[in-house]
Amino acid sequence: MATRVVVRRTGGPEVMETESFEPTRPGPGEVLLRQRAVGLNFIDCYFRTGLYPTPLPFTPGFEGCGIIEAVGEGVDLKVGQRVAYGTGPIGAYTDMRVMPAAPLVPVPDAIPDEVACAMMLKGMTARYLLRRTFRVEAGQTILIHAAAGGVGLIVCQWAKHLGATVIGTVSTDEKAELAKAHGCDHPIVYSREDFVARVKELTDGKGVDVVYDSVGKDTFLKSLDCLKRLGMMVTFGQSSGKVEPFDTGLLAQKGSLFLTRPTLFSYVAERQDLLETAKDLTDVVASGAVKIQVEQKYPLADAAAAHRDLEARKTTGATVLIP
């Protein structure tokens, strides 16, 4: 028997329950995966609360790493091969799962299971943000909100590796130190500093080339004020709530700004794009240019506690669930 987390009604962390089940055999294009680690991400909370609707009941989670136990017809992966995924399909909070082979990528031996798991969704998100949505180059200046979070720490390191100046917002002095240790040149503690004024001060009034904002409602309009003329606003999450409707003429008034709302799933919809994205990520991690910090580990059965800590901003870096 295997164990999984199930959500039968949307709501708080308490709606997640564990149950035993018998895995099926993989069909064509599928594998049976024994998972060694499962990733925790804010998108899991969005589905749990119903912010992102999905049919009930469901098992949360989009990210994992494990060993292939069996393969169906037409699968070019092998039994015993170690693989990871970061784009679902939904259903990762389990110790065994049958899933499509298409999202799976091989994991180099140099990268441990927990790191491989923790880096996939966040790391591939950082890759599309920095290399495709807005291609960061040496000499540019970026602003990343939640700089001490899972995506934030990767973005700080990768952007610094690319030669950019990195400004980041954090909630505490401890998180400021963590972000600074991971490549953030100028951490701003937003609980006591006006981050717009500080960004203007750091950029001699010019503003930054790009803002990466996963916070949403609480930071969106102020983030626009941090951009230079023709700068780009990238809103890729909404941990504080949805961005409220606004007059797009505001973008013109603030300097003909660009605005985009990308998702990782669009950037890796084709297998070749997925493989290229994953290779770029594994290369920078294996080289040591980007270090993945797994700061918290919870038993899979304690997924509710992990969600509570994540939503209360008690976590830093990456968090994994251990089946």
Side-chain angles (χ1 to χ4, degrees):
M1 296 292 285
T3 302
R4 63 189 172 196
V5 174
V6 178
V7 174
R8 293 186 170 85
R9 59 185 176 87
T10 57
E14 69 279 357
V15 302
M16 293 187 291
E17 306 170 354
T18 58
E19 69 173 16
S20 298
F21 72 103
E22 189 66 44
T24 60
R25 297 293 297 174
E30 294 180 332
V31 305
L32 174 62
L33 186 65
R34 180 178 296 278
Q35 302 202 126
R36 291 181 167 179
V38 174
L40 175 72
N41 297 281
F42 239 105
I43 193 173
D44 304 345
C45 302
Y46 299 158
F47 278 93
R48 189 206 73 229
T49 62
L51 182 63
Y52 289 1
T54 195
L56 296 167
F58 69 90
T59 293
F62 285 89
E63 182 177 51
C65 176
I67 301 293
I68 295 175
E69 294 265 309
V71 299
E73 292 182 16
V75 174
D76 58 4
L77 299 169
K78 296 177 175 59
V79 172
Q81 189 170 6
R82 194 164 64 109
V83 293
Y85 61 96
T87 57
I90 196 168
Y93 284 24
T94 179
D95 54 6
M96 298 279 289
R97 70 177 302 194
V98 172
M99 65 178 292
L104 298 171
V105 297
V107 177
D109 292 340
I111 299 177
D113 292 329
E114 292 170 10
V115 171
C117 166
M119 77 181 192
M120 291 302 294
L121 192 149
K122 300 176 185 68
M124 291 196 297
T125 296
R127 192 268 187 179
Y128 86 73
L129 291 174
L130 294 169
R131 308 311 291 147
R132 294 194 65 187
T133 301
F134 182 94
R135 192 170 180 86
V136 172
E137 305 291 351
Q140 293 178 328
T141 302
I142 77 165
L143 171 63
I144 173 75
H145 289 297
V151 173
L153 290 179
I154 299 173
V155 166
C156 287
Q157 294 175 83
W158 206 331
K160 189 67 177 175
H161 176 64
L162 293 170
T165 297
V166 182
I167 304 173
T169 65
V170 295
S171 59
T172 67
D173 289 323
E174 292 78 13
K175 290 186 176 183
E177 288 300 317
L178 182 63
K180 193 166 187 176
H182 288 78
C184 182
D185 297 288
H186 306 288
I188 301 171
V189 182
Y190 66 80
S191 56
R192 67 163 183 266
E193 295 181 86
D194 180 339
F195 72 81
V196 177
R198 182 66 175 135
V199 166
K200 290 296 179 68
E201 179 185 350
L202 290 168
T203 60
D204 297 324
K206 296 176 183 178
V208 298
D209 295 276
V210 59
V211 175
Y212 295 114
D213 189 340
S214 62
V215 177
K217 180 181 177 181
D218 290 352
T219 53
F220 179 78
L221 291 176
K222 288 186 176 180
S223 291
L224 296 180
D225 291 331
C226 293
L227 286 164
K228 64 170 54 174
R229 182 172 56 88
L230 304 179
M232 178 175 283
M233 174 69 183
V234 183
T235 172
F236 68 101
Q238 50 197 43
S239 61
S240 68
K242 289 184 177 180
V243 173
E244 295 177 351
F246 73 102
D247 182 355
T248 55
L250 193 63
L251 300 174
Q253 296 170 23
K254 292 181 181 295
S256 298
L257 305 178
F258 294 86
L259 169 65
T260 183
R261 177 49 171 102
T263 68
L264 171 61
F265 305 99
S266 298
Y267 282 92
V268 295
E270 299 296 329
R271 177 71 176 170
Q272 187 58 39
D273 289 331
L274 171 65
L275 293 175
E276 289 177 2
T277 298
K279 185 179 186 308
D280 278 357
L281 173 61
T282 55
D283 284 350
V284 295
V285 171
S287 73
V290 171
K291 294 178 174 61
I292 306 299
Q293 299 296 122
V294 180
E295 299 288 353
Q296 297 83 209
K297 301 177 188 178
Y298 299 79
L300 181 62
D302 290 344
H307 275 228
R308 289 189 188 97
D309 289 347
L310 180 66
E311 290 177 306
R313 291 181 169 81
K314 293 181 179 179
T315 64
T316 57
T319 303
V320 297
L321 307 176
I322 306 299

